[in-house]
Amino acid sequence: MFQNPKGMRDFSPDEMILRNSVFRQIESVFVKYGFDPIETPVLEYWETLKGKYGQEADSHLLYHFKDRWGETELALRYDLTVPLARYMSSRRMPLPFKRHHIGRVWRHENPQRGRYREFWQCDADIVGSDKPEADAEIISLMSAVMDSFKFPDTVVKINDRRLLKGIFENGIGIAQNKILTVYREIDKLDKLGLKQVTQNLKQVLPVSQVNQIADILQLHGDLEDVLSGVEASFGELDGTSYLREMFDRLEKGVMARLDLSLVRGLDYYTGPIFEINIREPKLGSLGGGGRYDELIARYGGPDLPAVGSSIGVERLIDAGLAIGIFKLDQKTLTDIFIAAMDGAADYAISIAHKLRKSFNVQTDLMQRNLKKQLDYADKKGIEFVIIVGEKEKKAKTAVLVEKRTGKRHEIKLIGLEAFLKKLVK
Amino acid sequence: MFQNPKGMRDFSPDEMILRNSVFRQIESVFVKYGFDPIETPVLEYWETLKGKYGQEADSHLLYHFKDRWGETELALRYDLTVPLARYMSSRRMPLPFKRHHIGRVWRHENPQRGRYREFWQCDADIVGSDKPEADAEIISLMSAVMDSFKFPDTVVKINDRRLLKGIFENGIGIAQNKILTVYREIDKLDKLGLKQVTQNLKQVLPVSQVNQIADILQLHGDLEDVLSGVEASFGELDGTSYLREMFDRLEKGVMARLDLSLVRGLDYYTGPIFEINIREPKLGSLGGGGRYDELIARYGGPDLPAVGSSIGVERLIDAGLAIGIFKLDQKTLTDIFIAAMDGAADYAISIAHKLRKSFNVQTDLMQRNLKKQLDYADKKGIEFVIIVGEKEKKAKTAVLVEKRTGKRHEIKLIGLEAFLKKLVK
């Protein structure tokens, strides 16, 4: 039959009511920190996207196609960062440019729980600053988003691409042609565990190097503790003073941990990288980001440093539902249903018209009898029902029923709106 | 260089601030009338879309492509109505199902002013009612959206596919194989004018029929005036009693006119059709819709009648900008910029952290001197600037500058939030 495409979802009103409230809350935190909205097309030229996300993305995950008019090759956007880089490359504006962008992206993954081919990201990025204040603000912002939902035990894992390079390439001496394989294996640590990862690494590296890596991967925690550990082994490393300054600029209350096992998949990062995690439920990271100082220049734009983050809202919602922060219990935004008996349909419409100044109101649209109208209001979970018939129409009154308590009121039309304002939240 | 695809736009913060406020206002009117949100994927199977919009759409306007994994043929949605029909076909829910849907659609048009390949629609539909109350509510709703923006002189043009059939096919006797061509010519009336349209019609129809059509096309205005005109020529016609009942159920103040020249392009309409117009500027219709009682059953779903409308938000925004209802004068949502002198950066961050409970706040992220920080705030049009240095940090105070008036206040930190609440709108 006719279905939604595999891995792409329909959302019903109860789901949308929850999702919209989540999106708007994230947006409001973004705006509190000074990130203004932009929008870009869903489609980009394939030229714009290819070669930016790594080989797997190009060969397996990106949707791209020749348009049937033979004009060009198009692709569905894969994230919101590359479109931002393309956007920046042709514009001049006051810096830093702080934008947020909430929208969908597409990846041809194998659909499974929490993983879809069409999904939403909530991004905030700062373009134009190469200073640790910018990275710190992005991390504080992600933490503030999580706090706004009252997620308990949010931890931000932090690492730095320069530190990784200093340790793995210069320190341990892993060959250039093996380093991406090594990072890819390390990236599986959460999923596979240390034992399996070291086993995998032994396929490509000598045992002595694997043992050094295994030691490093267990280093995480307080910034100075971890840094002094690696500095003892490898001497002074690139990026450490920047990281110290960045940690220093974090807002109070941000739970930030240096974690040398964090690598993140995307190719374009150049400095600090980070991920948001919660302890329970264990769903993997709920968001992440990092610094990408070279991406915008690749689009022919000025050499603009940038740092940003993306919140994976699908997992965030799953996590919130699992721990009871979010609920799927609201089927409609309608406050009031006005049921009309014979001869009072026009009266119901005129009352609805008035009440819509302040409330969300439905009337019968199917010429049904009173019982069926009340059934409908019931099934939709509408909390207030107004009943009118010819008698009420003549007397300019209405009968109001509070569904939760069963209370009934007979009210003059002239006082109805004021009366309802006290009841409807 | 790297650009956005032809006919698809980037939106900068000032544009997005306006667009979001327009979208949210439309949404709030939709919700006031009891239309809850749903969402569907941007992609649909090509099977789902093809054959639903007419031949030109299939052959020229729809984006569709074989995915490169050889799994299936996909298409970008062309409107939000067919996705709704597909959505309804596999679900059982209380009727009527009233949903709104605000989202983008794609058509491979030749880009020109006000016409894009990617654009947004704002739809509201009622599924499950075959009664004129439903059509009337959709028309009242469209009118309410226009009124909420204070558009002057909104007129809803109304016609009915059954009436068109009764007049053109049964009455005038136009052959089945010519009727679509005739409607297509009539659809150009606004663009070409009556003279050109009758000339075009003479290529395909005998002059006597063209003269009858020309008479009909000039009939528009008050429902009863127009109906009595056509009933005098063609006797009693299908759909007239339904139209009378529908007009009777419109909210007071809706400016509705029967216009026999309205045909609307889409193939799936079966009953009343309508369009929203404003007198100035002449941009064509700002929205429209109609009844489509047979579409949902085509997806194998139950035989559900439906009626709905779509607001063309691109034209609505253009119109609002042209007559000064809308303005593109807000560059940022940020209320306050906190500028820090040497040694007070941490103090600025801690003040920002506190003020973000109530306001949208930025601090310096580039370690710039005071002048450059103030320049930035100025260029962004941020209305309130707070300046802090080591002196203020020590004294726990801040200097607040109101940009509009130039007023300066020295304020104790403890009273800053309350003070600002009186100033910031």
Side-chain angles (χ1 to χ4, degrees), chain A residues 70-248:
Chain A
E71 287 171 11
T72 181
E73 182 131 17
L74 296 164
L76 287 161
R77 65 187 180 201
Y78 183 84
D79 71 359
L80 303 173
T81 310
V82 164
L84 170 66
R86 198 261 308 140
Y87 174 96
M88 292 304 300
S89 70
S90 60
R91 281 176 177 75
R92 299 293 168 270
M93 59 247 292
L95 298 176
F97 181 66
K98 297 169 70 173
R99 81 91 177 82
H100 80 257
H101 191 176
I102 295 177
R104 29 189 150 192
V105 301
W106 290 264
R107 297 180 188 180
H108 189 261
E109 307 257 18
N110 245 344
Q112 49 182 280
R113 186 175 176 258
R115 177 166 288 180
Y116 308 100
R117 290 182 174 176
E118 177 184 62
F119 58 98
W120 272 252
Q121 290 190 330
C122 303
D123 279 31
D125 291 74
I126 299 166
V127 176
S129 169
D130 59 1
K131 295 292 186 290
E133 277 83 352
D135 310 68
E137 181 168 279
I138 292 286
I139 294 167
S140 296
L141 171 70
M142 288 208 289
S143 183
V145 167
M146 299 301 287
D147 288 351
S148 80
F149 291 112
K150 303 200 191 312
F151 274 104
D153 297 326
T154 300
V155 178
V156 190
K157 288 187 196 172
I158 294 174
N159 202 356
D160 193 299
R161 280 279 164 98
R162 291 163 296 184
L163 213 57
L164 282 169
K165 195 178 162 80
I167 295 169
F168 290 102
E169 295 173 54
N170 307 338
I172 300 177
I174 296 166
Q176 193 71 49
N177 64 346
K178 288 185 179 166
I179 194 73
L180 279 178
T181 315
V182 170
Y183 287 161
R184 219 171 291 135
E185 290 305 323
I186 293 175
D187 205 23
K188 298 177 191 161
L189 195 63
D190 268 351
K191 218 188 294 177
L192 304 180
L194 184 63
K195 208 172 150 189
Q196 183 62 51
V197 168
T198 51
Q199 227 153 46
N200 293 353
L201 286 172
K202 281 176 188 161
Q203 314 284 319
V204 282
L205 297 179
V207 176
S208 66
Q209 287 190 337
V210 175
N211 289 341
Q212 274 186 292
I213 292 174
D215 288 345
I216 293 295
L217 294 186
Q218 293 171 78
L219 287 176
H220 56 88
D222 186 66
L223 177 75
E224 290 304 332
D225 292 350
V226 176
L227 283 189
S228 63
V230 286
E231 282 173 336
S233 307
F234 304 105
E236 208 175 300
L237 291 163
D238 256 16
T240 53
S241 68
Y242 190 95
L243 278 178
R244 285 186 167 104
E245 233 186 300
M246 182 183 97
F247 268 74
D248 207 45

Side-chain angles (χ1 to χ4, degrees), chain B residues 93-342:
Chain B
M93 59 247 293
L95 298 177
F97 181 68
K98 296 168 71 172
R99 81 91 177 82
H100 79 257
H101 191 175
I102 295 176
R104 26 189 151 193
V105 301
W106 290 264
R107 297 181 188 179
H108 191 262
E109 307 256 18
N110 244 347
Q112 48 182 280
R113 184 171 178 258
R115 176 165 290 179
Y116 309 100
R117 291 183 174 175
E118 177 183 63
F119 58 98
W120 272 251
Q121 291 190 330
C122 303
D123 279 31
D125 290 75
I126 299 166
V127 176
S129 170
D130 58 3
K131 297 292 188 289
E133 278 83 353
D135 309 69
E137 182 168 280
I138 292 287
I139 293 167
S140 296
L141 171 70
M142 288 208 291
S143 183
V145 167
M146 299 300 289
D147 289 350
S148 80
F149 290 111
K150 304 202 191 309
F151 274 104
D153 298 325
T154 300
V155 177
V156 191
K157 287 188 195 171
I158 295 175
N159 202 356
D160 192 298
R161 280 280 165 97
R162 292 163 296 184
L163 213 56
L164 282 170
K165 196 179 160 78
I167 295 169
F168 290 102
E169 294 174 55
N170 308 339
I172 300 178
I174 295 165
Q176 193 71 48
N177 64 346
K178 289 184 178 165
I179 193 73
L180 279 179
T181 314
V182 171
Y183 287 160
R184 220 170 291 133
E185 291 304 323
I186 293 176
D187 205 22
K188 298 177 191 160
L189 195 62
D190 268 351
K191 218 187 295 176
L192 304 182
L194 184 62
K195 206 173 154 189
Q196 183 62 50
V197 168
T198 51
Q199 225 152 47
N200 292 353
L201 285 171
K202 281 176 187 160
Q203 314 283 320
V204 283
L205 296 179
V207 175
S208 65
Q209 288 190 337
V210 175
N211 289 339
Q212 274 186 292
I213 293 174
D215 288 345
I216 292 296
L217 294 186
Q218 293 171 78
L219 287 176
H220 55 89
D222 185 67
L223 177 74
E224 289 306 330
D225 292 349
V226 177
L227 282 188
S228 63
V230 288
E231 282 173 338
S233 308
F234 303 106
E236 207 174 304
L237 292 164
D238 256 17
T240 54
S241 67
Y242 190 95
L243 277 178
R244 286 186 166 106
E245 233 186 300
M246 183 184 95
F247 269 74
D248 207 44
R249 289 280 180 258
L250 294 174
E251 280 178 3
K252 283 199 189 87
V254 174
M255 185 57 142
R257 321 285 285 162
L258 190 62
D259 186 331
L260 293 177
S261 73
L262 178 69
V263 296
R264 290 187 68 73
L266 296 174
D267 280 7
Y268 50 61
Y269 291 121
T270 57
I273 47 181
F274 28 83
E275 268 185 17
I276 284 272
N277 286 270
I278 53 174
R279 266 187 246 281
E280 292 297 336
K282 293 209 187 313
L283 286 172
S285 85
L286 301 191
R291 177 166 281 284
Y292 50 97
D293 285 347
E294 289 155 19
L295 188 60
I296 294 168
R298 288 175 69 182
Y299 291 97
D303 202 355
L304 287 174
V307 57
S309 71
S310 182
I311 290 169
V313 77
E314 314 300 343
R315 276 194 197 164
L316 183 135
I317 289 173
D318 283 350
L321 285 169
I323 62 176
I325 294 175
F326 302 145
K327 292 211 163 65
L328 274 171
D329 58 356
Q330 197 179 349
K331 277 182 256 174
T332 181
L333 296 166
T334 300
D335 304 308
I336 302 162
F337 184 86
I338 307 181
M341 289 182 269
D342 273 355

Side-chain angles (χ1 to χ4, degrees), chain A residues 362-378:
Chain A
Q362 293 192 45
T363 59
D364 174 52
L365 299 175
M366 295 174 75
Q367 301 183 359
R368 292 191 282 205
N369 65 32
L370 183 63
K371 189 184 169 307
K372 284 194 173 155
Q373 294 179 46
L374 297 179
D375 275 357
Y376 170 79
D378 219 43

